């Protein structure tokens, strides 16, 4: 049904994005200083809302939006950065860098808490002597049938800046490994 509706309409949608930069000295989970935004706070339309406007009758919110969409967006940002980096840089990072891994979205139910909580970067073990930086995005999502009309059909995501992902691949994701190899 969605494919048929998509073939017969044009949708225009808006998103709102605000970049947040933090005092890197206060964030000891990342080597610093980094030039990129710590996170992007994004407000976008839910899939349910988009499907409704595309003419799909009664799309089910749990089917369209009950997954880790923010995690998927963040994985796409990181994947873009890895594939867009120069060949030598990409190979160096893939061989010696600290990769990003992504945890399922953390659901927040009250906007002020979502707004204040930051994209989480946590060091996790990926095997003996290996580790990665795990990113957890905070999300809020509302059905178009929500009791608060202003929130109905909205999806809020904490998003990894593509610039931060690229900066990690070129510089910061190599610092811990480089430091370990240059100690005397």
């Amino acid at each position: 049904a969605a494919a048929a509706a998509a073939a017969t309409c044009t949708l225009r949608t808006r998103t709102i994005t605000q970049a947040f930069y933090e005092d890197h000295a206060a964030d000891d989970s990342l080597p610093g200083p980094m030039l990129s935004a710590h996170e992007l706070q994004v407000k976008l339309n839910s899939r349910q809302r988009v499907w409704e406007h595309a003419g799909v009758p009664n799309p089910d919110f749990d089917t369209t939006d009950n997954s880790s969409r923010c995690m998927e967006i963040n994985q796409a940002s990181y994947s873009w950065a890895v594939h867009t980096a120069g060949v030598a840089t990409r190979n160096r990072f893939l061989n010696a860098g600290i990769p990003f891994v992504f945890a399922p979205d953390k659901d927040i139910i009250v906007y002020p808490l979502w707004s204040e909580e930051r994209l989480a970067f946590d060091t996790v073990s990926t095997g003996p002597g290996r580790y990665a930086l795990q990113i957890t995005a905070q999300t809020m999502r509302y059905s178009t049938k929500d009791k608060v009309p202003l929130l109905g059909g909205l999806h809020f995501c904490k998003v990894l800046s593509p610039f931060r992902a690229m900066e990690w691949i070129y510089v910061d994701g190599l610092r811990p490994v480089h430091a370990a190899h240059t100690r005397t």
Side-chain angles (χ1 to χ4, degrees), residues 99-111:
F100 283 155
V101 294
F102 300 89
D105 293 351
K106 178 181 176 185
D107 288 310
I108 307 286
I109 58 171
V110 179
Y111 181 81

Side-chain angles (χ1 to χ4, degrees), residues 65-80:
D65 291 277
N66 200 14
S67 66
S68 288
R69 280 299 163 236
C70 304
M71 179 184 75
E72 293 168 5
I73 293 168
N74 290 331
Q75 286 173 321
S77 181
Y78 178 59
S79 179
W80 172 86

Side-chain angles (χ1 to χ4, degrees), residues 74 103-106 118-122 134-138 158:
N74 290 331
D105 293 351
K106 178 181 176 185
R118 296 288 171 244
L119 194 63
F121 295 84
D122 299 299
Q134 179 177 276
I135 298 175
T136 306
Q138 295 74 29
K158 300 293 180 110

Side-chain angles (χ1 to χ4, degrees), residues 25-100:
D27 185 357
D28 63 0
S29 67
L30 298 169
M34 296 178 84
L35 299 174
S36 57
H38 179 80
E39 71 183 19
L40 303 175
Q41 288 190 2
V42 181
K43 179 172 79 171
L44 59 153
N45 287 309
S46 67
R47 284 187 174 183
Q48 180 191 35
R49 176 180 271 175
V50 171
W51 285 21
E52 285 176 355
H53 286 279
V56 176
N58 301 314
D60 178 60
F61 180 73
D62 289 330
T63 302
T64 59
D65 291 277
N66 200 14
S67 66
S68 288
R69 280 299 163 236
C70 304
M71 179 184 75
E72 293 168 5
I73 293 168
N74 290 331
Q75 286 173 321
S77 181
Y78 178 59
S79 179
W80 172 86
V82 168
H83 290 94
T84 304
V87 174
T89 299
R90 178 175 49 248
N91 290 338
R92 180 175 55 247
F93 178 78
L94 292 175
N95 289 325
I98 307 302
F100 283 155

